[in-house]
Amino acid sequence: MSIISKKALSKIQPNMTVSLGGGSNVLTLAKDLNNAQIPGLRLYSPSEITKFQCEQLGLNILALNDNMPKFDLAFDGCDSIDQNFNALKSGGGIHLFEKIAAENAKEYIRKLQ
């Protein structure tokens, strides 16, 4: 388990509603969530890639629809950092949905670090 994932898992409690954004750190978190088997956890993702990878792990990702839930936590990540330490987002087009998830979260975690 990575330090980033361990820190993220420390924030996740049973029966929470959590949005998993995109990126390699979020995928690592998903793998660790699968192993942790937190009871009553409801997972969503604005990322089709994350959703697919989670389903491959056996995690149930609920569909986002017009009745957007309020999230207890929304995780987002970045895939790389440039020479000026600017976070570079993926080209997957999920930014709008990540912003919607963030607005619906009690707590929004932008970077896993």
Side-chain angles (χ1 to χ4, degrees):
M1 179 181 305
S2 72
I3 294 171
I4 294 169
S5 189
K6 186 175 180 179
K7 179 72 172 177
L9 279 174
S10 74
K11 295 186 161 289
I12 300 172
Q13 302 298 316
N15 303 310
M16 281 188 156
T17 302
V18 177
S19 174
L20 300 175
S24 58
N25 286 323
V26 172
L27 177 58
T28 300
L29 173 58
K31 290 175 183 175
D32 292 333
L33 277 172
N34 189 49
N35 292 332
Q37 297 182 353
I38 299 169
L41 194 61
R42 292 169 305 281
L43 297 174
Y44 293 83
S45 181
S47 165
E48 288 299 318
I49 294 170
T50 299
K51 182 178 177 183
F52 175 78
Q53 291 171 328
C54 286
E55 289 169 348
Q56 293 295 310
L57 291 169
L59 292 170
N60 182 32
I61 302 296
L62 301 167
L64 291 170
N65 55 37
D66 292 337
N67 274 336
M68 179 69 70
K70 292 290 184 186
F71 300 106
D72 295 298
L73 292 171
F75 291 96
D76 189 5
C78 66
D79 291 320
S80 60
I81 298 176
D82 69 11
Q83 66 273 14
N84 295 316
F85 297 102
N86 295 309
L88 303 175
K89 297 294 292 178
S90 67
I94 66 171
H95 309 296
L96 172 64
F97 299 109
E98 286 178 330
K99 287 182 181 186
I100 291 169
E103 289 176 8
N104 283 293
K106 290 178 187 172
E107 183 178 359
Y108 177 62
I109 298 160
R110 188 169 147 224
K111 293 182 188 176
L112 295 176
Q113 56 180 359

